[in-house]
Amino acid sequence: MKVITFGELLLRLSAPGYTKLFQRDALEASFCGGEANVAVSLANFGIESVFVSRMPNSSVGKAGAHSLDYFNVDTSKIVYGSGRMGLYYLEKGASQRPSNIIYDREYSSFALAQRSDFDWEHIFDGADWFHWTGIDPALSDEMADICDDACRYAKEKGITVSCDLNYRGKLWSSKKAQTVMKPLMKYVDLCICNEEDAEKVLGIKSENTVVEEGKLNKSDYSNIAKEICDLYGCKYVATTLRKSYSASCNGWGAMLFDAKESQSYFSREYDIWIVDRVGGGDSFSAAMIYTFSTSKTCQEKIEFATAASCLKQTIEGDYNRVSVNDVEDLVHSSGNGRVRR
Amino acid sequence: MKVITFGELLLRLSAPGYTKLFQRDALEASFCGGEANVAVSLANFGIESVFVSRMPNSSVGKAGAHSLDYFNVDTSKIVYGSGRMGLYYLEKGASQRPSNIIYDREYSSFALAQRSDFDWEHIFDGADWFHWTGIDPALSDEMADICDDACRYAKEKGITVSCDLNYRGKLWSSKKAQTVMKPLMKYVDLCICNEEDAEKVLGIKSENTVVEEGKLNKSDYSNIAKEICDLYGCKYVATTLRKSYSASCNGWGAMLFDAKESQSYFSREYDIWIVDRVGGGDSFSAAMIYTFSTSKTCQEKIEFATAASCLKQTIEGDYNRVSVNDVEDLVHSSGNGRVRR
Amino acid sequence: MKVITFGELLLRLSAPGYTKLFQRDALEASFCGGEANVAVSLANFGIESVFVSRMPNSSVGKAGAHSLDYFNVDTSKIVYGSGRMGLYYLEKGASQRPSNIIYDREYSSFALAQRSDFDWEHIFDGADWFHWTGIDPALSDEMADICDDACRYAKEKGITVSCDLNYRGKLWSSKKAQTVMKPLMKYVDLCICNEEDAEKVLGIKSENTVVEEGKLNKSDYSNIAKEICDLYGCKYVATTLRKSYSASCNGWGAMLFDAKESQSYFSREYDIWIVDRVGGGDSFSAAMIYTFSTSKTCQEKIEFATAASCLKQTIEGDYNRVSVNDVEDLVHSSGNGRVRR
Amino acid sequence: MKVITFGELLLRLSAPGYTKLFQRDALEASFCGGEANVAVSLANFGIESVFVSRMPNSSVGKAGAHSLDYFNVDTSKIVYGSGRMGLYYLEKGASQRPSNIIYDREYSSFALAQRSDFDWEHIFDGADWFHWTGIDPALSDEMADICDDACRYAKEKGITVSCDLNYRGKLWSSKKAQTVMKPLMKYVDLCICNEEDAEKVLGIKSENTVVEEGKLNKSDYSNIAKEICDLYGCKYVATTLRKSYSASCNGWGAMLFDAKESQSYFSREYDIWIVDRVGGGDSFSAAMIYTFSTSKTCQEKIEFATAASCLKQTIEGDYNRVSVNDVEDLVHSSGNGRVRR
Amino acid sequence: MKVITFGELLLRLSAPGYTKLFQRDALEASFCGGEANVAVSLANFGIESVFVSRMPNSSVGKAGAHSLDYFNVDTSKIVYGSGRMGLYYLEKGASQRPSNIIYDREYSSFALAQRSDFDWEHIFDGADWFHWTGIDPALSDEMADICDDACRYAKEKGITVSCDLNYRGKLWSSKKAQTVMKPLMKYVDLCICNEEDAEKVLGIKSENTVVEEGKLNKSDYSNIAKEICDLYGCKYVATTLRKSYSASCNGWGAMLFDAKESQSYFSREYDIWIVDRVGGGDSFSAAMIYTFSTSKTCQEKIEFATAASCLKQTIEGDYNRVSVNDVEDLVHSSGNGRVRR
Amino acid sequence: MKVITFGELLLRLSAPGYTKLFQRDALEASFCGGEANVAVSLANFGIESVFVSRMPNSSVGKAGAHSLDYFNVDTSKIVYGSGRMGLYYLEKGASQRPSNIIYDREYSSFALAQRSDFDWEHIFDGADWFHWTGIDPALSDEMADICDDACRYAKEKGITVSCDLNYRGKLWSSKKAQTVMKPLMKYVDLCICNEEDAEKVLGIKSENTVVEEGKLNKSDYSNIAKEICDLYGCKYVATTLRKSYSASCNGWGAMLFDAKESQSYFSREYDIWIVDRVGGGDSFSAAMIYTFSTSKTCQEKIEFATAASCLKQTIEGDYNRVSVNDVEDLVHSSGNGRVRR
């Protein structure tokens, strides 16, 4: 399977350990981004993974592309041009102290992209799957048009489309998000979202669940997923179910809704001692996409994707550096973490 | 509100991570001290904060003062002179292994201070509040006299006085502490202490609580606080309630006793996954003092101080680097640590 | 008491923090090894500790010996020769992600050792105790003969022999292990093993316990220990009881079986937040050996050894850097980790 | 003397040691900027130093201000608002490999500043000196107007004005620079520049010196300085004379031209083994300004400024962390670097 | 141009800074190797670069391949199998103290390779150039046969062959080297060597030059090169000319001999302040190969290759991380290291 | 040969790289001290080396002793008691910026030592040589008496005595030094000093040499040495000759004067690019002492000691981590620093 992922690569600058930003005079530097994280995960699962973006024509931009080359992500379709490397500062939370992200991504090369920058015929050559997220069109109206271009082209060619709704209140309002995203939903075969995304991006609200309080209601999730499929014709909706006990410990599970069967599949649930939760959702998306290249059942799909994204959160950095074997080992074991020797 | 804090600045030399001292050939170096920690916290809460001390006239002493300047603590009242920079070595505990502190603070510039070093009229100019701790008079008899000078002057000028009893068995005996501290208690408006302090410094013992076993009895705490107020005329007693499950996890709450109402207010309790517990009590003192600059009720005061000191323990280093907003966010949320983005 | 420990010193190359191997461009480097860990622990307990090995005649080998000299382990009986320094790469697990060890120890100086390399008369001069592990004979047939030489000599001289069965599936098969180890068991006074070792090395299987599921059955353990003593004439069997909840949290206890009394002694159990579990078993062996130099009862012995090995797992690195006092403090306290100051 | 310095604070992200950018996954992070460097140097010389800027209203902006508070620079006149923290990536050169700077400073809070942001009457209260640089007006036309506002106000109040021409080809063309800067020169009492600045910013070209070839002609420098003073009424021109032998070794000297006497004063010349050359020119400006608060002769002024900026280049980071004593020690010694003990 | 490079990838473990090995408890870890260094350099120059090797089928081996993927080196022709990752320990010298390398490369996957491991028809598909070094056949007799296989196949297909003689006394004797290498020389179009290589590998000795004393005689070098071409039919001989003043400072130049013209071309000479000299020769080979994809004259070729390898020695690590532009900048400048901003 | 060295062990806290103290929030931590450095060097040369001191009875003191155990220095004669671990802060100089040392060694366990602490009969058992330095008696009058005790005992037993005069102006005045040291000189067989020591400690002044200016006059040195031998009966005087060009580059040579022959021997001179010069003189003393255990001629002695101390200055830390072979390699080579591989 060949997957095209479209989005922005960012530079992540993290305060070391559990310090506050600039408490120390060093920042950990790595490249990442919701869509790039998916591309890397897929490559690590052995999928032919292509990352499409627009990046600054500088040694910073080149270093970003090399960070993907490292994982054998195909970066030959990246366009280089004006604009800066978007970045974010990260302060890792602990216990009652939340992680804090300060974005500095305006005027980035990606945000400044034009429709003419992307030759979708060339990009989609040989592709089986197209993945994008709700962050893309939030960056500019032009970018919303670009997403429309890409999705339309993909559908014409019979390429499967997945989208992680990924609502970011710092990028756009719920109202704007709905205006832009609803028309794009018709292209989406696999919709990935959590409850907040469904409400803010599609206006679909559960009745009982209160995320803040960590109360998760299984039937609510099924209802939301069903409604999405009914309204927009999606074939699948995949939802992660995070229970935030604290910044250091989370419950983690997920659900896959199969529209054809009108059936929900819930994964086993993990209590995770968090090493780095950023990128958890992206690793879930990637693993879910991966399962469509295998003959897994829906239950197996959701178990694989949940285990993969559980493991991501035990590793430092946004990228999920685990293999299919690592994930299968967790799926088929108790997750008791005994040393392998 | 302008707060004068009086005490010693120390150099903290910590073994990195969870290593033993000198297991690695580097030490993390930061400046701190029970009273300096309070001064920094107050400055971070937007309070006009003045730190008064005597420090070595060397580049080490200057660097110490700069570490306070960084937070906009007013260091212009610090006196420089002979003597060394006191320091301590810290080995951070984990699980069943306790943190270990080795003091090397004898013959420090502060311990060698003379009464004539401090011009209290000049120091207290415009001040509203004076904070000191039981560590100060433990360092020398002269220092006990200096504390008496300061307190007396403060009371004459109508400046509120707070004291954290802060008993340190390595500095003086309980007997000596009682001899020195009891006469100083008459100046104290807000007394901050835990149960051990009350017993060792004031000879007031609870009947039922056994700290070692982590059993905490609420009415005991109220009784102790009431007795302190009755004996010494304090207006408030604030007490932290730590349950040491292990070096890695503590229960954390607090109580404020209002003598006028003869009423105790207990905070919500947090289970903290500890990043760095040193300075936790100091951040509580600072936050408690801060609340007197606002129109908070007693219950709000104790919630704010407890939340502030909870957050401190999730950050590396002695200083509490959080803002009023950070604390209010925790007070008004579940403390589930969701990422802010 | 003078203890001779025989085994291989390895170089451990660990990925920093919770990164995957080579995610960062640095490796933490320390020397260690099942038997060397025992020798260091014993030296830290004030025991005259001699480490016997064969090591590469290079600055790498010399640095390895110096890492033992640091703890006052007697390295004068080490033989230097051809071959390389064996090493292993370690990736520290977290939560559901297991630690991963990649061995690169073939063709090491130790694995290439010949019987003629060791002059046991010289080595055992003044010795009271000899400790070796099942890793030794797994390395080569020659090494199995060397172990036989050493044990035979020790028994002749009335030196107590202890052996940690320490089964390593990557080094030999269960079948081969049984062929080699069973004849060597007759020399062993104190046998240290866990359930897996008993099954794989001696073919003694418990009926009910399922390690993977974390179910531990106390009577099973007693039965296994009794069987070992009955079959091979061991005087004591000591067993650690680890419950792997996750890579970050383990239950930890132990049992000592006294053949003469035909009685099992179970220790108190600790829930450990793991800093570094590698070397935990070795620190247990060392502490158990140490207790035979004191007048402790069986219950005291097993409490001491369990507490010592609990503390090890809260420190970075393979070596247990705690003193007898540190261990006694834990034995006699609740393990609540209060700061010592 | 009270000095007001006006300019932008930047975040500097440096590759560690002599690595290329992103060769390691960490960046050294410090705040700096041509004008901020001057403000810090002045504070370290005991001058009352005020830094005026517009900075982002975020924890990044606040951390930047704290980095100046550390040195007791007065940051109370800084305005906070929209926009980002400008930054630059630095790769430190060595031998034949030049240092490389990649700017990412567009759309910064400072670059977006409006005339109405600055209340010069309030800012200049009690000030004796105003320092700005040619980087300021290069950032926007509005900023050029702001510089005009500031200079005009300063001159009206009899405040001395210094300007470091500081031509940056990446910010504006020589043509634009001349159009903007020439009208501003009438306010400048002390003009700091090197030969390239004089040519690019003022169109004044020396006849013989070829910077690239490291040929420096003393009379040329005098002529240029004289022409600047004649044309614009400057009282002093100060010029650094750098001979770039390699990225690791530079010759360093300077000249001060006194217009009243029409006399040039050349400093002693240092061969510097470069630790970090960024900020060298700024430390020269600061030291030169400082000398006007003393009774030094012109020769003493130029020796002090050259020695101060020589020392800066032997310390890591942009800020010059030396004291007046450190500089005087070098002025009065051979610079042989004997240990002080 | 598509270049196939054949050799071993090693793990380099370096003591940090100027410490001795194991003075600190960390090692810098990077992958490298004489031939891999060439492959990376070529990729950085925009050449289609394929690295062929045999590597361990483990996460260590995979990480090694990823380190090449990072630079877009084609690693798809690498064979994975048994054996270990060869490695070396490096202690960086300074001043009079030489760098020290301790190899631990025996029994590596590459050294254990069989002729049947490599399908040269598949490997050479579309290739223009084949590069190998004298280290390859030094590892085993089988490897010498493999080199013969590869060279023979390359010549048949009209692929240009280059070889860096690269004599390593720790791997084989001069006598053995001559026996093996002389018959392979007939395949070599471009021979890269220094004087020691010529003597030890080919038995061709200069008369006057004494390397130890740093005396280099230009005509000697020409004579040696001519003799090589005459004897073995090479078209070009390229030689680096290093003057070791100390471990910290070297003179660096090179010569290219063109057999057709019977003419030697000497480059400009650089005095380099050494950051990391390991890999200097490899970066020279790569740059020399690169020049054959351009229309450079012989003089331009040797200037480019010398400048490229000069720059390498100013960067940490074995890999040369510079671009064609970086090299051209040095070729056309004085190498004075002025900041680029 | 068995050498007893007597002195203080200090903790050295160094600012990393070329930063100023506390510019970063970490300090490099190592143990050292003029006499301990000698003991370590001797152990590295294979000499039986005993270090005698009084150290704090704490985990800090124990870690200090372990740092010597690492090198197989015999620490069994160290006395533990009250007092603190003396320490110093080090800021490494570069180019024109001198290294700066800030001592904090008052009230150390060593400075508080009493005559009764040391049982010289026990300490000197089997000893051949006794080494002490002028720092010892500078610490207290009691320590001067202790030195007298030790020297007297040594002479009675025919043990050779060496002393490094090591004048430290921060510890005592020249006048006091002369009063104390002159009577002790009668015990000294090998006197190690530089010109400043001779003048300050013994009142012997050269006529022409001006250290500050780096002018060294060979005959002056001979005259001073001769005068010392004539006055005090020393058999040898060894003098290091440092030319401080800058903090980064020094000329380094030495002289040995043989009183019996009345002959001076000057070593070859090295231009050293300094990595860490602290401990240079101590490594010279140790190497000089070592040569008396061999059959080297005076010229060979001084060449060995100079080369050894040259190498020390190319390694980080106070301790000289080189072997006899390393030194001999430099003595017999050009010191051109070619890689050993």
Side-chain angles (χ1 to χ4, degrees), chain C residues 66, chain F residues 1-5 36-51 68-69 71-75 126-131 162 283 285-296 304 322-324:
Chain C
H66 277 328
Chain F
M1 191 163 73
K2 181 173 179 180
V3 180
I4 313 299
T5 307
N37 298 344
V38 169
V40 167
S41 249
L42 285 168
N44 285 337
F45 291 152
I47 296 291
E48 192 177 350
S49 176
V50 182
F51 181 67
L68 300 170
D69 291 328
F71 295 101
N72 276 322
V73 171
D74 180 343
T75 61
D128 302 295
W129 194 289
F130 176 57
H131 179 70
S162 58
S283 66
S285 297
M288 181 53 66
I289 293 169
Y290 163 77
T291 63
F292 284 88
S293 75
T294 67
S295 58
K296 288 180 189 297
F304 185 90
V322 299
S323 66
V324 168

Side-chain angles (χ1 to χ4, degrees), chain B residues 215-231:
Chain B
K215 289 178 195 155
L216 300 166
N217 187 314
K218 288 194 170 187
S219 68
D220 271 8
Y221 281 101
S222 294
N223 293 340
I224 292 171
K226 189 171 183 332
E227 192 172 340
I228 292 173
C229 292
D230 289 350
L231 279 171

Side-chain angles (χ1 to χ4, degrees), chain A residues 58-164:
Chain A
S58 70
S59 63
V60 179
K62 295 292 164 54
H66 278 327
S67 81
L68 300 170
D69 291 327
Y70 181 90
F71 295 101
N72 274 322
V73 171
D74 180 343
T75 61
S76 65
K77 304 291 170 57
I78 290 172
V79 177
Y80 294 90
S82 62
R84 49 187 294 274
M85 173 64 71
L87 55 87
Y88 72 89
Y89 301 94
L90 170 65
E91 207 171 79
K92 191 156 72 169
S95 204
Q96 285 76 14
R97 182 169 58 85
S99 288
N100 195 16
I101 287 181
I102 298 172
Y103 285 110
D104 175 18
R105 60 192 295 176
E106 286 188 279
Y107 310 104
S108 72
S109 299
F110 187 72
L112 300 177
Q114 300 297 311
R115 291 176 70 180
S116 56
D117 284 327
F118 302 101
D119 172 356
W120 294 108
E121 184 171 351
H122 172 63
I123 289 167
F124 279 124
D125 185 41
D128 302 295
W129 194 291
F130 175 56
H131 180 70
W132 60 290
T133 82
I135 295 174
D136 293 333
L139 296 176
S140 74
D141 287 343
E142 180 85 8
M143 191 57 77
D145 290 343
I146 293 170
C147 290
D148 190 79
D149 287 352
C151 285
R152 196 162 10 88
Y153 188 92
K155 295 310 285 186
E156 280 170 18
K157 298 293 175 185
I159 294 167
T160 307
V161 174
S162 58
C163 178
D164 180 350

